[in-house]
Amino acid sequence: MATKLLLCDCAGTQAFDPDKIESACGVACSRLHTALCTDELQSAADLMKEGDTVIACAQEHDVFRSQAEDLNIDVPGFVDLRDRAGWSDQGADATPKMAALAAEAVLAQPVTPSVDVFSEGTCFIIGPGAVAFDLAERLADSLAVTVMTTDLSEPLSRAYDVVRGRLRSVSGALGGFSLRLDALQQVVPGGRGAFAWTDPKDGALSSCDIVIDLAGETPFVQAPDKREGYLRADPRDAVSVERLAFEAAQLVGTFEKPLYVRVEETLCAHSRAEQVGCTNCLDICPTGAISPAGEHVAIDPMVCAGCGACAALCPSTAITYEDPPVSALLSRMHILARTYRRAGGTAPRLLVHDDAHGAEMIRLAARFGRGLPSDVIPLELNVISGFGHAEMLAALAHGFARVVVLLAPTTEREALNRELELAHAIAGPEGIGLIDETDPDAMSDLLYGQAVPRPLSDPVLPMGNRRQIARLAAQALNPQAESPLPLPENAPYGAVAVNTDSCTLCLSCVSLCPSGALIDNPDMPQLNFQQDACLQCGMCKTICPEDAITLVPQLDLSDAALSQQVLNEEEPFACVECGALFGVKSTVERIMEKLSGTHPMFATSDQARMIQMCDNCRVNVQFQQQDNPFQSKPKPRVVTTEDYYSDRKDH
């Protein structure tokens, strides 16, 4: 059954062209309603009964959702055409944008993988006794509470457990916190008068589902506001403490935890042979969810808050973001740009924003200000910190004239700033930018005042992983590029320069290269390089014993980057015994010069000559020497019958 779009002009406050929208996005439009959420609610119900409907109203989605539940039918989809298009100083020209947003709304989206988290309500409270005991009293009926006092307050109730000590560390998240305690003392409940305490014990381990931090000091975890199940407030703020009591009581049951990222360990360039290479994800993760695990990294899905910065900065695509995956995001951008052009638009701009601050800014600008310009198409994401250079370039390649990311006060900005610098180096600064505004009117004024560059005349559809997407988009955006594009330091693309005077062709770099960009030649002393595969992780530079390697961040868009090039090669040495080629001639000659006649093992000419032999000949010669290092005791002579007879004659 075809999807039907239910249109409403919201009491005549916005203009629609249903025929143009329908022809551009391929979605059947209803007749134009004017009060779908009130006077015409029955019409909405009748249309919803037909199934597969999308209602062009986001403000009153609860009304329609309740109606669907009452009718025992599927909840319809929703798309906000009013705040994002219709309510604008240029609302009369917003039909192409409306068609694009409608087409995006009916695009099927993948479901983010998730795992169930179980919380039985064991709660650990740390803080001064006066505040912690009061909170524990209120939570004791619904949670299993343990209080650790940060002072010497005496417990007055046995409705909850009380301990003393120092909380050394906290790890984990909701449903799976692990605590390490020092100087732990527990209450001895017997006896008269004040409670007695056990002897202090260091290194005690405990676990709980919820942690409430009222200590008023440095948090016990990184990014405490992003750690699910970790609740924190200033003990002097009674309102905040009261809010924690309500939040904690809700954290009992089974919860769905999205698995935001996925790690392909074989692609990770973190380390090889105990030599550390890439640490981008370790350095950028705000919650500490990522840790080294040998030659790759491991991500704790319970601690991960899903900012996506690790995936944006991962040079090898070992970490991929799943909420949504990059392929789904590219599909959305493609359908927005394509439908906008089909509906008569020419140079759309893309406004990337989050689903909290950014969405509210757009709603406020529409209701009380100028709204968005008719050519600015909003793209809502759960988080925007993972919108990296590959996505920015892909948007331009899809035909957007400009890409703007609307920052929120809570946005993790370090990764975004690095990715923006990289995108500027590849596509230029005119087409990509950030807006850091918390005033809706100021945001609108910036968008209305922006110069709009010309979009790509022949849009392309980049596909693949992030590296492939970035390369295809960059080629489309730089069709006349004849030389490699210089990139900022720490870029994930580039070449390696080898000082051939210093390089001995030991090939240590080849053995450690995690991506196979550095390659040897089994037939001759040769170091080859494929630039497209280089991650600029620096492992080759670190391991080189001669300091002969230098990283050159650049993006070569020519076909030469896809094939191997020779960085260094030398003439092999011919074995003086059998003539087989082995080693590097200059290296063998240098060893001869340093060791022949000077080192005890090569004091004579015959011994020195072994340096010039291949492995097989060298072993054969050593076996034939008097002082053969491989020689064992002589093999005993075989005893014969004659030996027995000779022994008898002797006796």
Side-chain angles (χ1 to χ4, degrees), residues 513-553:
C513 182
S515 64
L518 290 167
I519 312 148
D520 66 346
N521 186 339
D523 298 324
M524 64 181 301
Q526 193 177 74
L527 176 62
N528 298 311
F529 175 68
Q530 183 173 329
Q531 187 170 160
D532 178 61
C534 181
L535 308 177
Q536 295 284 286
C537 65
M539 219 174 295
C540 55
K541 180 181 178 181
T542 301
I543 198 61
C544 180
E546 309 298 339
D547 293 328
I549 293 180
T550 304
L551 301 181
V552 184

Side-chain angles (χ1 to χ4, degrees), residues 636-649:
R637 188 175 65 84
V638 177
V639 179
T640 65
T641 306
E642 194 64 35
D643 294 325
Y644 285 107
Y645 287 142
S646 62
D647 287 343
R648 290 178 182 178
K649 291 176 183 178

Side-chain angles (χ1 to χ4, degrees), residues 240-538:
S240 296
V241 174
E242 188 65 32
R243 186 179 299 114
L244 290 191
F246 174 78
E247 293 178 8
Q250 310 304 311
L251 296 179
V252 180
T254 301
F255 302 90
E256 194 174 75
K257 170 70 175 178
L259 299 176
Y260 295 108
V261 295
R262 181 170 57 86
V263 181
E264 179 53 60
E265 298 174 353
T266 58
L267 298 179
C268 183
H270 172 56
S271 74
R272 293 293 185 277
E274 299 184 353
Q275 297 294 323
V276 177
C278 174
T279 60
N280 284 350
C281 59
L282 294 166
D283 298 336
I284 203 68
C285 181
T287 63
I290 307 178
S291 58
E295 294 189 345
H296 54 83
V297 298
I299 300 180
D300 186 343
M302 298 299 105
V303 177
C304 175
C307 69
C310 57
L313 295 182
C314 181
S316 66
T317 70
I319 300 178
T320 53
Y321 196 62
E322 301 292 308
D323 188 35
V326 66
S327 58
L329 180 55
L330 262 60
S331 295
R332 292 174 62 186
M333 292 192 294
H334 171 63
I335 201 71
L336 287 171
R338 185 186 67 178
T339 308
Y340 183 87
R341 292 191 297 270
R342 281 183 175 178
T346 55
R349 288 180 283 169
L350 187 69
L351 178 64
V352 182
H353 64 91
D354 66 356
D355 58 0
H357 171 80
E360 183 64 14
M361 287 272 286
I362 292 173
R363 285 191 290 267
L364 292 174
R367 180 170 287 276
F368 301 106
R370 304 173 68 185
L372 297 179
S374 61
D375 63 337
V376 173
I377 303 177
L379 176 68
E380 182 177 304
L381 302 176
N382 295 330
V383 291
I384 57 175
S385 47
F387 194 81
H389 73 278
E391 291 85 352
M392 297 175 186
L393 298 175
L396 296 178
H398 281 308
F400 286 99
R402 185 172 174 82
V403 180
V404 181
V405 180
L406 176 60
L407 300 176
T410 57
T411 300
E412 300 288 341
R413 306 189 180 196
E414 183 179 351
L416 260 179
N417 290 334
R418 285 178 57 178
E419 292 295 281
L420 179 66
E421 182 184 8
L422 179 56
H424 280 169
I426 296 174
E430 299 82 11
I432 308 170
L434 304 178
I435 291 182
D436 189 6
E437 278 291 347
T438 56
D439 180 357
D441 290 333
M443 175 197 71
S444 294
D445 292 342
L446 282 172
L447 291 172
Y448 277 96
Q450 276 183 352
V452 182
R454 293 181 60 184
L456 199 65
S457 58
D458 189 13
V460 299
L461 183 60
M463 301 175 68
N465 60 36
R466 269 191 160 97
R467 289 182 68 87
Q468 294 165 337
I469 290 166
R471 179 177 179 82
L472 292 171
Q475 287 177 326
L477 297 169
N478 298 275
Q480 306 301 322
E482 297 181 356
S483 58
L485 305 175
L487 300 181
E489 189 178 357
N490 297 321
Y493 315 103
V496 294
V498 175
N499 184 341
T500 55
D501 294 333
S502 301
C503 176
T504 62
L505 286 173
C506 68
L507 301 181
S508 297
C509 52
V510 173
S511 63
L512 258 66
C513 182
S515 64
L518 290 167
I519 312 148
D520 66 346
N521 186 339
D523 298 324
M524 64 181 301
Q526 193 177 74
L527 176 62
N528 298 311
F529 175 68
Q530 183 173 329
Q531 187 170 160
D532 178 61
C534 181
L535 308 177
Q536 295 284 286
C537 65

Side-chain angles (χ1 to χ4, degrees), residues 118-123 173-177 207-211 228-229 251:
F118 304 97
S119 172
E120 296 178 346
T122 56
C123 177
L174 176 66
F177 282 104
S207 61
C208 63
D209 298 317
I210 307 161
V211 174
E228 294 175 351
L251 296 179

